[in-house]
Structures are given as C-alpha cells and as structure tokens.
Amino acid sequence: MASAVLLSRARTSSRAFARQLTWSAVLRADKIPQPPKDVDDSTSALDYKRTQRTRPPPLPAMDLPRSRSAEEAVTNILYNTPPPSLQPFKKHVLNCLVQNEPGVLSRVSGILAGRGFNIDSLVVCSTEIRDLSRMCIVLSGQDGVVEQVRRQLEDLVPVWAVLDYTDTRTIARELLLVKVSILGPEYLEDQLVGGPTHSPSSQLTPEEKMEREQILAHNFELGVHPEAVEAELRESISTALTPSQALRLKHQHLHSISTLANQFGGKIVDVSENSVIVELTAKTNRVEAFLGLLRPFGILEAARTGVMAMPRTPISGASVEDAASTDGGGAVDASLLPPG
C-alpha cells in the first residue's frame, strides 16, 4: 500500500515538472525577438488587380500609314518580315508600385532586358506604406512597344500597378553630387594620379624620363655642364606649385564654383585641400548644363541618382484648356523661373 502511494506521488511530481518545463519553454519562445509580420504579401497585389481589372484600351498604332515599295512587299512575301516601324522613339517615364520583397527588381529588369530596352535611369525606394515600394524607370522606345512592356510588367505577381507618366504633368527631379578640382584643369591628370587625397603628383612618365636622359647624354657629349642642364630640365618639367600660387588658384576657383552653384540652386557640401563637392537637385537638362559648366574646372568624380517623378495635383476650378494655353503661350523669360 505504501509503495502504491509513493508511486502515485512520483507520477504526480513528474507531471508537474513536465508542465513547468513546457511553460518555461513557451515563455522563452515568447522572449525571442521575432521579425514583424508582413501586412500583405505578393498575392494581395493579385487580389487587387483582379478586383480593379477593366478592359484595357487598344494598343497605340505601331506603324504610320504609308505605301510600301515593291522591294519591301517582295521581302515580306519571301521572308515573312514586316516593314520596319516608322514610329519615333521618345523618352518614357514608368512609375511602378511593387511589393517590398526580395527579387522584384531583378524580375522587372529581366523583362525590360528581354524586350531589348536599355534603362536610362532607375530609382527604387520605399514609400509611406511599409510593404510598398516605388520604382521610377526612364527608358526610350516607341509608344506601342512601351505600352506592351507596361502591361507585361503589370501582370507580374508582386507588381500592384505600372503608370506611364510620359504625357502627364509631373515634377521630375534628379540629385547630383560632383567633386570638382580647385587647382584648375591643367592639374587634373596629376590629381587623378595623386590618390584619394587628389594631391597633384609631379612624377615623370617613362617617356619623359627617357627624353630627359637622352638630352643629358647629348649635352654631356657637347661639353655642357650636366648639373646646370639637369636643374633647367627639372624646373621646366616639374608641375609643383608654390604655396602662394596654390592659395591664389584655390581661392579664385572656389569663389567661381560657389557662385555658379548658387546660380543653379546648388550648394557646396564639402571642402577639402584640393577639391570641393557640390550638391544639386534639379531637372535632368539643368543637371547636364551644370556639369557642362563645371567641366572646364576639372571634374574628379560625379554621381547621379536618376529621375524621380511625381504627378502634379490639378488646381480646383482651373480647366484643362486654361492650363494648356498657359503652357504654350509664347516664350518664357528664364530669369523669371524658379531654380530647378
């Protein structure tokens, strides 16, 4: 009887211990940090497109109506090749809203590469929604082909929508960071050889060393004093600046670059011993014009983000005809326009 009581007590204690171990394991599992749960997944984009799907408009005409020559007609009959399209190429801006997950960018770029498109610029960033990202793609192509690619991109699972902002009134901006020499263009090659600090290097090339040795040997045979000839060659070949000359050059070029950046709405964000970094946010053509004006100073490095576009909000009460007449109403004075 006593042994049965002891056995039952042992079983009860083992069960309680097992429950305690299970409860402690659950508590430890709760304390382990877990990644945040996704609000949506890729199938949410499919559900959205299924509910919002409407009959798409017909594709734009791929070819302009024209009469074919006899050679083109025979070629079409023999080789079953249609005549080349005469539709002009123009720049298109595609805005893609995609699911924020790995592999979306590779799938989008793969479709564009498969259709033979070269991406001029591509900007990808997250939006105010955690699981939604925005892609702004700039490419050149014909209207019909680009529309086909747009619909093909929209059929991807993680893609919510693809919008063509080509004929839409948008605000488009591009960020530029450019490092410019303040010593002048004649020292640009020496600065590029100077390493990360861009200090001008006065090292001679092998051709210059060979020419120098030949001149020294020739003058030695003629009886000219070799030390004087060597000092004269060193003075003529050396590209090093005196401290006062370098100071004057830096001050003049820094003032000119600062004035130019202010005219374009940019600013100098870094100043080093031999170069400066200028930041500019503007339209693409304005950025290219700014780079062209900085090129005489000597550009060491340049980085651009690509075009970011957002459609403008129409003003209530203003008709489309008024906006069109305002846009096309004669020449506009550039001095009255805001920066960018």
Side-chain angles (χ1 to χ4, degrees):
M1 186 68 180
S3 61
V5 172
L6 291 175
L7 184 59
S8 62
R9 289 179 180 177
R11 290 177 180 174
T12 304
S13 60
S14 62
R15 290 174 184 169
F17 182 69
R19 291 196 197 96
Q20 187 176 2
L21 286 178
T22 305
W23 180 249
S24 61
V26 171
L27 290 178
R28 286 196 211 99
D30 292 339
K31 293 181 180 179
I32 296 176
Q34 300 291 335
K37 296 182 179 180
D38 293 336
V39 178
D40 294 314
D41 55 5
S42 298
T43 57
S44 301
L46 287 177
D47 297 338
Y48 171 79
K49 288 184 286 188
R50 190 179 298 112
T51 56
Q52 301 293 329
R53 186 174 298 277
T54 57
R55 185 175 181 82
L59 290 173
M62 297 293 294
D63 294 318
L64 299 178
R66 64 185 179 91
S67 58
R68 294 187 298 173
S69 63
E71 182 180 358
E72 291 176 345
V74 172
T75 303
N76 186 25
I77 295 173
L78 294 179
Y79 301 102
N80 196 22
T81 56
S85 176
L86 296 181
Q87 201 172 27
F89 284 74
K90 67 178 182 180
K91 182 180 293 185
H92 291 261
V93 180
L94 299 181
N95 189 12
C96 307
L97 298 175
V98 300
Q99 193 74 22
N100 189 7
E101 63 181 25
V104 180
L105 179 59
S106 62
R107 298 178 67 178
V108 172
S109 60
I111 288 180
L112 294 175
R115 298 299 296 266
F117 282 99
N118 183 30
I119 300 176
D120 296 336
S121 69
L122 173 62
V123 179
V124 185
C125 61
S126 57
T127 61
E128 69 280 3
I129 308 300
R130 189 185 68 182
D131 293 330
L132 195 64
S133 295
R134 183 189 299 269
M135 293 185 185
C136 190
I137 306 172
V138 179
L139 47 86
S140 297
Q142 297 172 326
D143 292 341
V145 181
V146 173
E147 177 62 21
Q148 289 179 352
V149 173
R150 189 196 69 81
R151 296 184 182 184
Q152 191 173 358
L153 291 175
E154 208 167 40
D155 289 338
L156 291 176
V157 173
V159 176
W160 287 75
V162 181
L163 306 175
D164 192 349
Y165 284 164
T166 304
D167 299 325
T168 306
R169 295 169 55 86
T170 60
I171 298 296
R173 291 295 181 267
E174 184 176 351
L175 175 64
L176 167 70
L177 289 177
V178 56
K179 183 181 290 185
V180 189
S181 170
I182 57 177
L183 294 179
E186 59 270 17
Y187 298 98
L188 181 62
E189 297 296 333
D190 297 332
Q191 284 186 273
L192 293 175
V193 177
T197 59
H198 297 296
S199 301
S201 175
S202 60
Q203 297 179 356
L204 299 178
T205 61
E207 292 79 8
E208 292 175 341
K209 290 182 180 179
M210 182 66 68
E211 182 181 359
R212 178 178 177 180
E213 291 176 358
Q214 291 176 357
I215 294 176
L216 285 174
H218 179 69
N219 288 308
F220 182 76
E221 292 176 358
L222 295 178
V224 183
H225 202 273
E227 286 79 4
V229 176
E230 185 176 359
E232 184 179 356
L233 287 173
R234 188 183 301 111
E235 183 179 356
S236 62
I237 295 176
S238 176
T239 59
L241 292 173
T242 62
S244 59
Q245 291 175 343
L247 186 61
R248 283 195 296 268
L249 279 177
K250 291 177 183 178
H251 177 73
Q252 294 172 1
H253 292 163
L254 180 59
H255 178 71
S256 301
I257 294 172
S258 177
T259 303
L260 187 62
N262 291 333
Q263 291 294 328
F264 276 80
K267 59 182 179 180
I268 296 177
V269 294
D270 180 75
V271 179
S272 63
E273 185 179 359
N274 301 309
S275 62
V276 295
I277 297 179
V278 184
E279 174 188 339
L280 175 66
T281 302
K283 298 179 182 179
T284 301
N285 54 358
R286 198 171 176 86
V287 170
E288 293 175 354
F290 183 65
L291 283 175
L293 293 175
L294 285 181
R295 194 165 286 114
F297 292 95
I299 296 177
L300 297 172
E301 295 181 50
R304 300 167 65 173
T305 59
V307 177
M308 295 173 287
M310 183 170 291
R312 301 182 63 176
T313 303
I315 301 176
S316 58
S319 61
V320 180
E321 291 78 6
D322 295 339
S325 62
T326 304
D327 291 343
V332 180
D333 189 1
S335 61
L336 301 178
L337 297 176

